[in-house]
Amino acid sequence: MDAKELIKIVKDVIDYLSPLQTSTEQCIYNYLLRWSYLENGKNQVQVGDRTLAKEVSKPAKGKLSKSKGLALSTVSDCIRDLVKKGHVDIIEINRNGKIYNRVPLRNYVMF
């Protein structure tokens, strides 16, 4: 992936997706984007809800509150809403977690 492609992806996420997402949805979406497309150029990533709950809230632990992280119900609700909005697609669910796929939404670039 070259620098121009990366810049376009970041601009599209900021310009088109972020205004349509809650702050928690943005955190989850950014985690999925980072560990799929930005990390290795792949359109898919596999991760479980427990891992999402723990990893997405890791940077805030000890800084903003004494929270143990996101509740599993919050992660499930956000994932459901991201799927309804067309920002992510769940390809498969297995014992290792859900496989999320990049979903082209209009002309924006998804993870």
Side-chain angles (χ1 to χ4, degrees):
M1 168 181 358
D2 65 3
K4 285 184 180 183
E5 184 181 2
L6 180 58
I7 290 169
K8 174 153 179 31
I9 290 168
V10 172
K11 284 181 178 179
D12 287 345
V13 168
I14 291 169
D15 292 345
Y16 300 112
L17 295 183
S18 293
L20 304 174
Q21 298 171 344
T22 66
S23 57
T24 307
E25 289 170 355
Q26 285 178 32
C27 291
I28 290 172
Y29 183 86
N30 290 340
Y31 179 88
L32 297 173
L33 178 67
R34 190 253 191 265
W35 287 105
S36 61
Y37 201 71
L38 298 180
E39 184 65 25
N40 55 29
K42 294 184 178 179
N43 293 331
Q44 293 184 350
V45 62
Q46 183 168 5
V47 64
D49 287 354
R50 279 183 170 67
T51 302
L52 273 174
K54 184 176 103 181
E55 293 294 320
V56 166
S57 52
K58 189 185 284 186
K61 280 188 182 176
K63 294 178 183 161
L64 303 177
S65 70
K66 295 184 181 185
S67 170
K68 303 262 187 211
L70 293 176
L72 286 176
S73 60
T74 302
V75 171
S76 296
D77 291 347
C78 287
I79 293 297
R80 182 197 63 229
D81 292 343
L82 287 169
V83 169
K84 280 173 46 176
K85 291 174 181 179
H87 297 189
V88 299
D89 191 18
I90 299 172
I91 300 300
E92 182 182 330
I93 300 173
N94 60 43
R95 60 180 256 183
N96 295 322
K98 296 175 182 151
I99 299 176
Y100 297 94
N101 193 44
R102 172 182 164 171
V103 177
L105 179 66
R106 297 184 199 126
N107 292 325
Y108 344 130
V109 177
M110 301 292 106
F111 79 88

